[in-house]
Amino acid sequence: MPRKILKKYMPDPHWVRNHPHLTWLGEHLRNPGLWHLSHRSVSLAFLVGIFCAFLPMPFQMVVAAVLAVLVGSNLPVSVALVWISNPITMPPMLYFSYRIGQLILGVGSDADAMTWHLDTLYDNFRQIWRPLILGSVICGLIAGLIGFITIRIIWTIHVRRTWIMRGRERLKRQQAKAEQSGKD
């Protein structure tokens, strides 16, 4: 992965550790694995961040940060990926999750009978909470695992290409050096 690009957008770990609002996290923020950009920490960050993006709750970033600390994934990447679910993408994500939950639970399609707007959401919540939560957890896990595996594959391909390019450059230097010594 292009570490230079990721590092450019990551906050300074010293600033975060010394931030007055985050002092309650104490020693947990001192774990260097939370700030390290490795294939393990970034792929776990994708798993954590995408999973938390599907959770139907406020303060998803806090949940992502706590899970990142517990799992040892990259903290800034985990928290940033929660923004996949923004005000534009959240309704389709929740509706899809709800439908998946309905399918798994075998519950009838009551979605058509309900009035879907903000005023009746609380009244309908007792009908939709089980499929919504189950579907959100399952969709979050599946999407997070897809992100985890994708990052692992992309990272491996990038590392292999870098090694191949280094080998080619080394071979060119050796050939140029051999030609140079042959002329002398």
Side-chain angles (χ1 to χ4, degrees):
M1 284 301 295
R3 290 183 191 197
K4 292 178 185 177
I5 294 171
L6 289 174
K7 282 187 178 184
K8 183 169 49 169
Y9 294 108
M10 286 181 51
D12 181 31
H14 301 292
W15 177 83
V16 174
R17 288 181 194 135
N18 297 326
H19 194 277
H21 295 356
L22 301 175
T23 55
W24 63 275
L25 290 171
E27 291 298 315
H28 296 291
L29 289 179
R30 304 218 183 277
N31 179 1
L34 296 177
W35 309 101
H36 189 64
L37 290 171
S38 67
H39 70 284
R40 181 192 175 279
S41 66
V42 174
S43 58
L44 279 174
F46 269 73
L47 177 64
V48 168
I50 294 172
F51 172 74
C52 290
F54 273 88
L55 295 178
M57 60 181 287
F59 305 112
Q60 297 165 320
M61 291 172 59
V62 175
V63 176
V66 170
L67 284 175
V69 169
L70 292 175
V71 174
S73 67
N74 186 287
L75 181 65
V77 175
S78 295
V79 171
L81 282 169
V82 170
W83 284 95
I84 290 172
S85 63
N86 55 54
I88 295 170
T89 60
M90 184 62 100
M93 287 171 66
L94 290 179
Y95 185 73
F96 180 75
S97 298
Y98 171 71
R99 287 298 202 171
I100 294 294
Q102 272 188 327
L103 183 72
I104 291 171
L105 289 175
V107 180
S109 179
D110 296 335
D112 300 329
M114 289 190 262
T115 307
W116 285 96
H117 54 80
L118 292 176
D119 296 336
T120 61
L121 186 61
Y122 182 75
D123 297 333
N124 295 330
F125 186 72
R126 60 185 164 80
Q127 295 176 358
I128 67 170
W129 75 272
R130 284 186 187 105
L132 177 64
I133 291 177
L134 178 66
S136 296
V137 169
I138 289 173
C139 289
L141 282 174
I142 291 171
L145 285 172
I146 290 171
F148 176 84
I149 292 168
T150 303
I151 291 301
R152 288 282 177 124
I153 291 170
I154 290 171
W155 200 290
T156 302
I157 290 170
H158 178 75
V159 168
R160 286 185 180 171
R161 283 185 181 167
T162 303
W163 278 82
I164 290 170
M165 288 184 353
R166 283 183 188 172
R168 288 179 183 163
E169 289 173 8
R170 185 175 27 245
L171 185 62
K172 285 180 186 178
R173 284 193 308 265
Q174 289 173 351
Q175 288 173 350
K177 196 175 190 181
E179 289 175 8
Q180 186 69 8
S181 64
K183 290 181 181 179
D184 293 337

